[in-house]
Amino acid sequence: MANCSSARVASHAALASHAALAPIAPDSTTHVRAGVVRSSIRFDHLGARSVSIAYEAQGPAGAPATVVLGGISAGRHLAPTASDPSPGWWPGVVGEGAALDPARHLLVGIDYLGGNSEDGLLRPVTSHDQARAIAAVLDELGIAAASIAGASYGGMVALAFAELFPARVARLVILSAAHRTHPMATAIRSVQRSAAELGVATGQAARGLALARALAMTTYRSTREFEERFESGPLSVGKPGQSPSYFPVEQYLNARGADFIRRFDTERFLALSESIDLHATAAASLLPRTSLVSFDTDVLVPPWLVDELAARSGRCPRHITVPSIFGHDAFLKEVDAVATLLEAGIPEVVR
């Protein structure tokens, strides 16, 4: 195992030393292309299936292409368009004037495969299966090679893509992801899946899925953030013999669960949650043009696991650990730090 060193920055200001890229002028020819690719994919466990892959691409023709991938609830919509003015799932990092700007990059997003669809139940599905879907979209767009910015599950998919299609990768920036999951993270997700499955079995699918999401939120954030954010007492006290109603943190978790069930269904959640725990790539397949980013309070993908990937790869890629109170969700919350590292890892040059 290689003896690789990793950088643990003391502050966000220290990240400035990792980026020295001058911005280039926006291109007025930015355009949006969205659609559905129909492709035959050989799944790791399901065999050959013809599937539909929804995508959205924004940016000037001929600009450097970057595939942008997030967690299991992320999708193809990355930045506001005329037909969909919503900000996308990574605001502040992707968008006009941001690190990943559709005026300067050709940005590609996809909807992950998994769960019930017109193609039947897609489960189990792996990070490698998602990588094959991305390759089909790039083929449709006529893109031979692209950079990939992948965070959380998207980072796993990016690593799988690099393993399967190394010649098609220009640069990789992997945030909050590694070559494998560790047993404690799998244990927590298995309880989430059990809650969702119990909901279905008892005729309370929405309730089960909301509880699964609420439990997930306790692992996405850090104990330090919860200590600073929430009071420990209840908002109100029930009648004698009744439980206190709504501790502040309980109210927050219930709200996150309610929001999730408006956007997700149980089968899709089960397929993608399971896909995280099926993830495994060979560390030796890591490409030399890779930047790794972890966060010091992330309990799902702790910095030591990313160190393991770097060391076992034998390539000693750059690994930077960023301080944050936001745990695994820091890739969504630490906008300035993430933007700085993306600008350094995915230069605005045509390759």
Side-chain angles (χ1 to χ4, degrees):
M1 185 182 297
N3 183 20
C4 299
S5 62
S6 59
R8 285 171 169 76
V9 296
S11 67
H12 292 171
L15 289 168
S17 63
H18 295 280
L21 300 169
I24 62 175
D27 189 319
S28 61
T29 61
T30 298
H31 66 279
V32 178
R33 181 176 174 185
V36 176
V37 175
R38 190 75 183 173
S39 179
S40 179
I41 292 176
R42 181 163 293 279
F43 287 75
D44 286 337
H45 300 286
L46 300 174
R49 293 280 191 96
S50 181
V51 294
S52 300
I53 310 142
Y55 73 90
E56 186 175 280
Q58 300 186 45
T66 300
V67 179
V68 185
L69 305 169
I72 64 171
S73 59
R76 67 186 183 274
H77 184 59
L78 302 176
T81 64
S83 60
D84 185 352
S86 63
W89 64 264
W90 214 357
V93 174
V94 180
E96 183 179 354
L100 296 178
D101 188 341
R104 302 191 301 263
H105 302 262
L106 176 57
L107 303 177
V108 181
I110 72 161
D111 286 349
Y112 292 127
L113 300 175
N116 283 315
S117 71
E118 63 182 35
D119 308 307
L121 179 61
L122 297 178
R123 181 184 179 196
V125 61
T126 69
S127 55
H128 289 87
D129 296 333
Q130 308 288 6
R132 295 179 183 104
I134 292 168
V137 171
L138 294 181
D139 289 343
E140 172 75 10
L141 295 172
I143 298 172
S147 296
I148 307 179
S152 188
Y153 180 60
M156 298 177 179
V157 174
L159 289 169
F161 187 94
E163 185 171 61
L164 293 177
F165 309 105
R168 303 194 70 170
V169 179
R171 298 285 184 92
L172 283 179
V173 180
I174 306 296
L175 304 98
S176 305
H179 56 307
R180 66 177 180 91
T181 61
H182 67 81
M184 182 60 77
T186 299
I188 295 167
R189 279 186 292 268
S190 69
V191 176
Q192 295 168 26
R193 293 192 291 271
S194 293
E197 289 166 339
L198 181 61
V200 172
T202 58
Q204 301 180 82
R207 178 62 175 157
L209 185 58
L211 287 174
R213 182 64 170 185
L215 178 56
M217 291 304 303
T218 68
T219 68
Y220 295 160
R221 300 301 181 90
S222 74
T223 55
R224 199 165 85 221
E225 183 201 356
F226 274 30
E227 172 68 19
E228 294 179 10
R229 182 172 180 176
F230 301 108
E231 296 180 6
S232 43
L235 290 172
S236 60
V237 179
K239 296 178 181 179
Q242 294 181 340
S243 299
S245 58
Y246 288 121
F247 293 91
V249 69
E250 181 184 10
Q251 189 175 55
Y252 164 78
L253 295 176
N254 287 342
R256 299 286 66 75
D259 175 68
F260 190 68
I261 62 176
R262 287 192 288 268
R263 301 181 288 116
F264 243 67
D265 63 77
T266 299
E267 280 298 340
R268 182 166 175 77
F269 167 76
L270 291 173
L272 294 178
S273 172
E274 181 182 66
S275 186
I276 295 172
D277 292 318
L278 291 172
H279 169 72
T281 55
S285 68
L286 194 68
L287 300 177
R289 46 196 183 274
T290 298
S291 297
L292 304 173
V293 181
S294 60
F295 298 92
D296 63 347
T297 54
D298 188 346
V299 298
L300 293 177
V301 187
W304 63 260
L305 189 59
V306 182
D307 278 339
E308 179 184 286
L309 167 59
R312 291 187 177 181
S313 73
R315 299 184 183 276
C316 290
R318 184 179 65 161
H319 171 207
I320 296 173
T321 298
V322 179
S324 176
I325 68 167
F326 296 114
H328 187 71
D329 268 358
F331 74 91
L332 294 169
K333 304 294 287 185
E334 301 289 1
V335 171
D336 291 342
V338 168
T340 298
L341 293 169
L342 282 171
E343 287 168 348
I346 302 179
E348 294 165 349
V349 295
V350 177
R351 291 174 290 273

